[in-house]
Amino acid sequence: MYYMTSAAIMIMIISTLMMVLASTLSKKSIIDREKSSPFECGFDPKSSARLPFSMRFFLIAVIFLIFDVEIALLLPMTITLTSSKITAWSSVSMIFLLILLLGLYHEWNQGSLEWAK
């Protein structure tokens, strides 16, 4: 028990020393204006690099990710067809597809799929 405690203490001391050493060695000593500015063909930027993003684009991206995951869930259904009962498989797949279609209808009804108004 004493051996394990002393080994754990030594490991913590060595890891703390390594973290402190890495932190002190990684600091920049000279701050250069040209190196800290964003690179834009050698010219100073005229506007802010932080432009607001379109919420429409974000919403379309989230919808795409949701339907992408749903397709990844649909693909194994064809493999499980051979190892399951046809009635159970068809009922589960129909319920899953119905949920997908209801979600698509809701997004379409809310106007989320229209890019420009």
Side-chain angles (χ1 to χ4, degrees), residues 47-67:
S47 64
S48 174
R50 302 282 182 206
L51 297 176
F53 64 95
S54 171
M55 280 303 289
R56 282 242 181 250
F57 178 74
F58 179 72
L59 188 60
I60 294 290
V62 168
I63 291 170
F64 171 75
L65 285 176
I66 289 170
F67 280 103

Side-chain angles (χ1 to χ4, degrees), residues 9-117:
I9 291 173
M10 289 300 292
I11 289 172
M12 285 196 287
I13 289 173
I14 290 172
S15 62
T16 305
L17 286 175
M18 293 296 283
M19 286 189 290
V20 168
L21 183 66
S23 175
T24 56
L25 290 178
S26 67
K27 301 274 189 217
K28 278 187 163 182
S29 59
I30 301 171
I31 298 175
D32 188 14
R33 180 184 171 279
E34 293 297 323
K35 287 187 178 180
S36 62
S37 68
F39 180 71
E40 203 170 307
C41 300
F43 299 106
D44 288 331
K46 295 183 180 182
S47 64
S48 174
R50 302 282 182 206
L51 297 176
F53 64 95
S54 171
M55 280 303 289
R56 282 242 181 250
F57 178 74
F58 179 72
L59 188 60
I60 294 290
V62 168
I63 291 170
F64 171 75
L65 285 176
I66 289 170
F67 280 103
D68 194 37
V69 168
E70 290 167 353
I71 287 187
L73 292 173
L74 277 174
L75 287 175
M77 285 182 140
T78 59
I79 298 171
T80 60
L81 175 62
T82 59
S83 64
S84 63
K85 293 183 181 179
I86 191 70
T87 55
W89 182 87
S90 61
S91 63
V92 168
S93 60
M94 287 299 154
I95 289 172
F96 188 71
L97 287 174
L98 181 68
I99 291 171
L100 289 181
L101 289 174
L102 286 174
L104 180 63
Y105 175 73
H106 177 70
E107 294 294 332
W108 187 18
N109 194 20
Q110 294 294 318
S112 299
L113 299 177
E114 297 174 11
W115 185 255
K117 287 185 178 184

